[in-house]
Amino acid sequence: MLHHRLRGVSKQKSLVYVGGANDYFYGSGAIPLSLTSLTGGVASSPAAGDVVIVAFAGRVYTDYNLGLATSGYTELADLYSPDTRDANLGVYAKVMGSTPDTSVSATNPEADKHYAIAAHVWRNTDVTSGIVTPIATATGTDTGRPNPPSVTPTVSGSVIIVVGAGTTYDDTYPDLTAPSGITLFQTNPTYGISVGIGAYVGWTSGAYDCAAFGDGSTSSNDSWCAASIILKPV
């Protein structure tokens, strides 16, 4: 099974990718994303102390504060980008307790809209100064290809998580792809919106500026939201 263990400095534990998940939905109510069938990492579900990062996106024609029904998550970003087709993106994180969550539920603000959700789970993350800090955000118009902003880690062994959501025309499903250097990519397009989350595991020094996600829409009617998150090893 593919996994990443990053060598840190002496006395540090390496960051470990536990796995990821994604889904999409249409309708009303809280829709759960399973955390017991994670893929791409070292385990199928999170353990106590693991950090779950969730990206929840919708193409909704107003600035909604998207949210999660599952308790205990910290909202890291609430982003909105208006164009002919508006993008909404919420980013959240939670440290798993002694009984880790088996799912996370997102609440859609409008019952007749489509939403996409994706998650990453990481182990050995330093959360002493916050669940995951710092986080940088960006929004844009005239394209549905998200472009996460530049960030500069300061701790050896750090991993950069990039998140993006983009809109597209009603009858298409914008399957975003990871830009060069981004791995462990989770994405799930639905009617008019797509969300993606991936990781840059090769940082050694200086600023890291992720390129725009691939595919999706290049229409001037579309919009996007994005975030870059630094995970530090304990």
Side-chain angles (χ1 to χ4, degrees):
M1 180 179 292
L2 174 66
H3 66 279
H4 286 264
R5 296 178 184 271
L6 303 180
R7 186 180 303 276
V9 298
S10 176
K11 298 184 180 180
Q12 284 182 333
K13 293 183 179 179
S14 299
L15 284 164
V16 176
Y17 181 60
V18 179
N22 63 77
D23 206 348
Y24 66 92
F25 51 88
Y26 171 85
S28 59
I31 309 298
L33 175 68
S34 174
L35 296 177
T36 60
S37 55
L38 303 176
T39 61
V42 300
S44 60
S45 59
D50 291 349
V51 172
V52 180
I53 302 171
V54 177
F56 175 41
R59 203 195 76 182
V60 186
Y61 293 104
T62 189
D63 183 4
Y64 275 111
N65 182 13
L66 299 178
L68 301 181
T70 305
S71 64
Y73 278 84
T74 296
E75 183 179 81
L76 305 179
D78 171 24
L79 303 176
Y80 172 65
S81 184
D83 204 313
T84 304
R85 294 182 279 268
D86 300 357
N88 275 264
L89 173 65
V91 184
Y92 318 87
K94 180 180 179 179
V95 179
M96 293 292 101
S98 58
T99 303
D101 295 339
T102 58
S103 66
V104 55
S105 293
T107 303
N108 51 333
E110 284 192 29
D112 61 343
K113 296 295 188 293
H114 293 255
Y115 302 88
I117 187 170
H120 260 206
V121 182
W122 285 84
R123 187 164 295 164
N124 299 336
T125 298
D126 181 1
V127 296
T128 55
S129 59
I131 289 183
V132 281
T133 56
I135 179 169
T137 62
T139 60
T141 58
D142 298 330
T143 180
R145 293 181 172 179
N147 189 354
S150 174
V151 290
T152 305
T154 58
V155 176
S156 176
S158 292
V159 169
I160 300 162
I161 306 299
V162 293
V163 178
T167 64
T168 193
Y169 182 68
D170 288 353
D171 295 331
T172 60
Y173 288 68
D175 192 5
L176 295 171
T177 55
S180 176
I182 298 298
T183 60
L184 310 174
F185 198 65
Q186 293 280 337
T187 185
N188 206 320
T190 185
Y191 191 86
I193 188 71
S194 184
V195 67
I197 180 172
Y200 181 67
V201 301
W203 180 82
T204 55
S205 64
Y208 173 71
D209 190 3
C210 182
F213 289 9
D215 290 338
S217 171
T218 57
S219 169
S220 61
N221 293 317
D222 287 307
S223 58
W224 57 269
C225 304
S228 299
I229 304 163
I230 298 170
L231 298 183
K232 299 176 293 183
V234 292

